Amino acid sequence: AQSVAQPEDQVNVAEGNPLTVKCTYSVSGNPYLFWYVQYPNRGLQFLLKYITGDNLVKGSYGFEAEFNKSQTSFHLKKPSALVSDSALYFCAVRDLRGGADGLTFGKGTHLIIQP
Amino acid sequence: NAGVTQTPKFRILKIGQSMTLQCAQDMNHNYMYWYRQDPGMGLKLIYYSVGAGITDKGEVPNGYNVSRSTTEDFPLRLELAAPSQTSVYFCASTPGQGGSGANVLTFGAGSRLTVL
């Protein structure tokens, strides 16, 4: 079965510092990996995805993610954090179970950027 | 372009009552999904549909039903509401297999349901 794990419930970063939100995956076959962000009282918004190609994927709002096949990881990164980046972040993997072709999500990581 | 629209945004139900959460998308997407989000648990798939007239169960379907009579609409029905169904419900859609938009889900703003 496809699954993703986000080992940190919360990550605290000072504004202007680099940030990393961790994600590891377990899939059979080639992974399709995604990051979504959720602001309070809103739906999830797509940030970026990895399907194939370069291991470093660039997405919205200055975020990027690095695919590492040997470590089965897909960590989300940003060189300089903004207070407005504070939100709930979800890692997800494509899930073909039963023909749904949807996504299986991690439990989410709260990112808190301190001024 | 409205994207995915969910109604109502908030609802309080009594145990045993029934209701329908509405979801509509205007992007001509074939695939639609219903997820529930509980604190610290991520999102769990309730039901999905790969096209009009086709629906199937996800990971947590018990206590729910869906229908897909048109491409645009995918309502979620709760029968005999229970406190365990207190959650935030999200509808999402995607074009379907193939193409650059495949697997990129567009989410609605959510419907917060409380069962007392």
Side-chain angles (χ1 to χ4, degrees):
Chain A
Q2 323 286 60
S3 66
V4 291
Q6 295 180 243
E8 302 153 316
D9 290 335
Q10 182 169 307
V11 172
N12 295 282
V13 178
E15 186 176 27
N17 282 1
L19 70 87
T20 299
V21 183
K22 296 180 180 177
C23 173
T24 58
Y25 65 89
S26 174
V27 303
S28 54
N30 294 321
Y32 286 27
L33 297 161
F34 302 78
W35 277 101
Y36 281 76
V37 60
Q38 184 181 31
Y39 298 101
N41 300 313
R42 303 286 296 275
L44 279 70
Q45 298 177 32
F46 170 74
L47 277 180
L48 51 82
K49 67 178 179 180
Y50 171 84
I51 295 178
T52 187
D54 291 339
N55 290 341
L56 187 64
V57 180
K58 295 188 182 298
S60 306
Y61 312 121
F63 283 93
E64 58 190 25
E66 186 172 10
F67 172 70
N68 188 316
K69 188 174 183 178
S70 63
Q71 297 185 4
T72 62
S73 67
F74 189 57
H75 300 333
L76 182 70
K77 300 181 179 183
K78 188 174 182 180
S80 178
L82 300 172
V83 172
S84 57
D85 292 330
S86 298
L88 182 58
Y89 290 80
F90 289 96
C91 183
V93 62
R94 183 188 187 189
D95 190 346
L96 290 167
R97 173 173 38 184
D101 201 12
L103 299 179
T104 291
F105 290 86
K107 294 184 177 181
T109 298
H110 284 96
L111 176 63
I112 299 174
I113 309 301
Q114 296 154 332
Chain B
N1 190 343
V4 178
T5 302
Q6 290 185 236
T7 56
K9 294 190 187 307
F10 304 95
R11 182 73 184 268
I12 297 175
L13 282 181
K14 294 182 179 179
I15 294 172
Q17 287 185 320
S18 300
M19 75 160 298
T20 299
L21 300 178
Q22 302 291 344
C23 174
Q25 54 92 7
D26 61 359
M27 299 170 286
N28 201 32
H29 284 174
N30 289 318
Y31 287 40
M32 296 187 73
Y33 307 85
W34 275 105
Y35 288 90
R36 58 177 288 172
Q37 182 183 23
D38 300 299
M41 299 299 292
L43 280 77
K44 301 292 185 184
L45 182 64
I46 305 171
Y47 269 95
Y48 67 94
S49 168
V50 300
I54 306 169
T55 63
D56 210 342
K57 297 177 180 179
E59 186 178 358
V60 289
N62 292 343
Y64 308 95
N65 274 300
V66 294
S67 59
R68 184 96 182 269
S69 57
T70 67
T71 299
E72 295 78 18
D73 299 300
F74 190 42
L76 177 71
R77 176 98 178 145
L78 283 71
E79 303 282 1
L80 298 174
S84 61
Q85 293 178 302
T86 294
S87 188
V88 182
Y89 293 84
F90 288 99
C91 180
S93 70
T94 188
Q97 294 184 0
S100 62
N103 305 116
V104 176
L105 271 62
T106 299
F107 281 83
S111 297
R112 184 177 295 274
L113 176 67
T114 301
V115 182
L116 300 175

